[in-house]
Amino acid sequence: MGRYLVTGGAGYVGSHLVLALLDAGHDVTVYDNLRQGHRGAVPGAARLVEADIGNARRLDVVLSDGPWDAVFHFAALSLVGESMKMPFLYFMENAAGGIRLIEACVHHGVTKFILSSTAALFGNPERIPIAENERVDPGSPYGESKLMIERTLHWAGKIHGLRYACLRYFNAAGADPAGRAGEDHTPETHLIPLVIDAALGRRPEIFVFGHDYPTPDGTCVRDYIHVTDLADAHLRALARLDAQSVTYNLGNGAGHSVLEVIRSVERVSGRKVPVRMGARREGDPAVLVAASDLLRSETGWLPKYAELDEIVRTAWAWREAHPGGYGD
Ligand SMILES: NC(=O)c1ccc[n+]([C@@H]2O[C@H](COP(=O)([O-])OP(=O)(O)OC[C@H]3O[C@@H](n4cnc5c(N)ncnc54)[C@H](O)[C@@H]3O)[C@@H](O)[C@H]2O)c1
C-alpha cells in the first residue's frame, strides 16, 4: 500500500485518479481549494485538505506529514480562452504555484512527481498524430504555464534526482463507469458535456465553430480519452518511475470530429441535438490527435473505453443521474 498526495483531487480528472488509487488499496490525501472542485467528488475513504497550493505554510505541514510515495499534481486553472485574457493569472497560479510545489516536494524528500500536462503544449503541430518529440510551442499562456512546470521538473530531476512523469492529456472525457464520479465544471467548456446538455434541453443548441476545416466533415477533430483510462495511465506511469522519468502523450490515438460527437450523443441518448453552424474560432487547429505508442509500448497501457459511444454512454449516465452535478 502506498501513500499519495493528490493536488486538485476534487476536480474532474483528479477525482477519477483518486478512485483508481483507492480501488488499488492505497492511502490518499486530496489537497484542493475547492474553487473548481467539489467536496462531493472526494470519496469518504480519502482525506481532504481544503487549501490552496499558494498557502506555503499549509503545504509545508501536509508535506512534512510524510513519507509520501508520490505527489500527483492536478491543481490548475485550465481555460485556454481565459488565459489569453489573463496571462499573469495563469503564470502565477499554474507556473509559480507548480514550481513552489515542486520545490516543497524536493525539500520534504518526495522522490516521485506526476504532472497533469496538456496537448496545449503543441500550439499548431506539424505532424499528426502528435508524438512526444513534436516541436513544443504553446499557443496560449495556459499551455506555456504547463511547459514552465515541465521544465522545472526537468531541472529538479537533473539536480535533485526527482523522478517525474509529464502526462500530456488530450481531451479527457466520460465518467467513472460505476457512476461514482463525473464531469461538473462551471463554466463547462468541454464538448461532450455541452452536447449532452443540449440533448437534455438544458442549452438551446450547440454552436459549431467552423465547418470548413480540411477534415472529412469540415469540423475540428479531437482525441477523446476516457477519464478512467487516463487514471490507469497514471498508475502505469507511476510504476515506470522506479526506472526513470517519463513524458507521455495521452490520447486514444483516434480522432473524432465535432459532428461525430454530436451524432454519438444522439445515438446514446435517443434525443435530437439542435445544432447551429458558425464561423471558426481563432486559434483552433483542425486536428489534434495523440500518438500514444510510447505509453503503450513502455507500460502496456491499452484504453478499455476506446469507442466514442462508450465514452459518451458513461458521461450521459452520470449526467442523467446527477442533473445538478455534485450539487454544490
Ligand atoms: N480535462 C481535460 O481534458 C484536460 C486536458 C489536458 C490537461 N488537463 C489538466 O488536468 C488537470 C485536471 O483537469 P480537470 O479537468 O480535472 O480540472 P478541474 O478544474 O476539474 O480540477 C482542477 C482542481 O484543482 C483545484 N485547484 C485549482 N487551483 C488550485 C490551487 N491553486 N490550489 C488548490 N487547488 C486548486 C480545483 O479546485 C479543482 O478541484 C489540470 O491541471 C488540467 O490543466 C485537463
Side-chain angles (χ1 to χ4, degrees):
M1 185 181 91
R3 272 192 87 220
Y4 297 104
L5 184 66
V6 184
T7 77
Y12 171 46
V13 186
S15 60
H16 287 79
L17 172 78
V18 168
L19 288 173
L21 288 170
L22 292 172
D23 288 348
H26 298 302
D27 179 86
V28 181
T29 298
V30 169
Y31 189 103
D32 197 302
N33 63 11
L34 298 185
R35 230 181 291 153
Q36 291 92 32
H38 312 276
R39 193 176 297 278
V42 181
R47 204 168 308 110
L48 170 64
V49 176
E50 188 180 339
D52 197 280
I53 293 292
N55 186 338
R57 198 170 321 156
R58 199 70 187 281
L59 199 54
D60 205 49
V61 169
V62 171
L63 282 171
S64 59
D65 178 30
W68 298 100
D69 291 288
V71 170
F72 292 85
H73 181 39
F74 291 86
L77 301 176
S78 47
L79 300 176
V80 172
E82 182 181 67
S83 82
M84 296 298 281
K85 295 191 190 110
M86 296 190 267
F88 302 116
L89 177 69
Y90 277 69
F91 294 137
M92 294 309 291
E93 288 276 328
N94 287 4
I99 292 166
R100 256 189 261 112
L101 172 67
I102 295 165
E103 184 190 21
C105 285
V106 168
H107 176 75
H108 287 286
V110 173
T111 56
K112 292 176 183 164
F113 191 99
I114 293 93
L115 170 70
S116 300
S117 190
T118 172
L121 294 191
F122 310 106
N124 228 328
E126 279 163 11
R127 289 161 303 168
I128 303 285
I130 305 168
E132 285 75 5
N133 60 3
E134 174 67 29
R135 188 175 48 97
V136 165
D137 182 16
S140 65
Y142 163 65
E144 191 76 46
S145 70
K146 294 283 182 173
L147 180 57
M148 289 173 178
I149 309 178
E150 284 204 4
R151 295 305 300 164
T152 304
L153 286 171
H154 167 79
W155 288 109
K158 259 196 162 13
I159 296 168
H160 296 291
L162 180 68
R163 289 268 172 88
Y164 61 89
C166 295
L167 304 182
R168 298 159 169 177
Y169 316 161
F170 281 59
N171 295 58
D176 176 47
R180 297 170 296 176
E183 184 163 15
D184 179 10
H185 285 125
T186 307
E188 188 53 80
T189 58
H190 294 151
L191 182 62
I192 291 176
L194 289 175
V195 177
I196 286 177
D197 276 359
L200 287 168
R202 302 157 121 232
R203 316 176 54 85
E205 63 190 11
I206 280 295
F207 188 88
V208 177
F209 292 100
H211 48 101
D212 56 351
Y213 284 97
T215 60
D217 63 23
T219 64
C220 284
V221 169
R222 295 291 179 267
D223 187 330
Y224 297 92
I225 175 167
H226 194 280
V227 67
T228 300
D229 286 327
L230 206 47
D232 177 41
H234 283 70
L235 300 189
R236 289 167 186 269
L238 171 68
R240 281 290 291 168
L241 295 188
D242 288 335
Q244 62 182 87
S245 294
V246 291
T247 295
Y248 294 129
N249 289 358
L250 285 187
N252 251 331
H256 294 286
S257 73
V258 174
L259 285 179
E260 281 174 341
V261 169
I262 293 170
R263 300 298 163 242
S264 172
V265 171
E266 289 185 333
R267 270 193 304 279
V268 167
S269 67
R271 300 178 188 211
K272 192 89 192 117
V273 175
V275 175
R276 189 150 60 96
M277 295 294 188
R280 291 183 180 196
R281 193 168 49 179
E282 205 187 332
D284 276 342
V287 180
L288 282 179
V289 173
S292 291
D293 311 61
L294 191 63
L295 171 73
R296 290 176 196 227
S297 64
E298 288 193 356
T299 73
W301 178 83
L302 264 185
K304 275 203 197 107
Y305 307 95
E307 296 299 321
L308 181 60
D309 280 10
E310 281 181 286
I311 295 174
V312 167
R313 201 167 291 123
T314 59
W316 173 261
W318 194 81
R319 200 76 184 149
E320 242 201 337
H322 303 84
Y326 286 100
D328 53 0

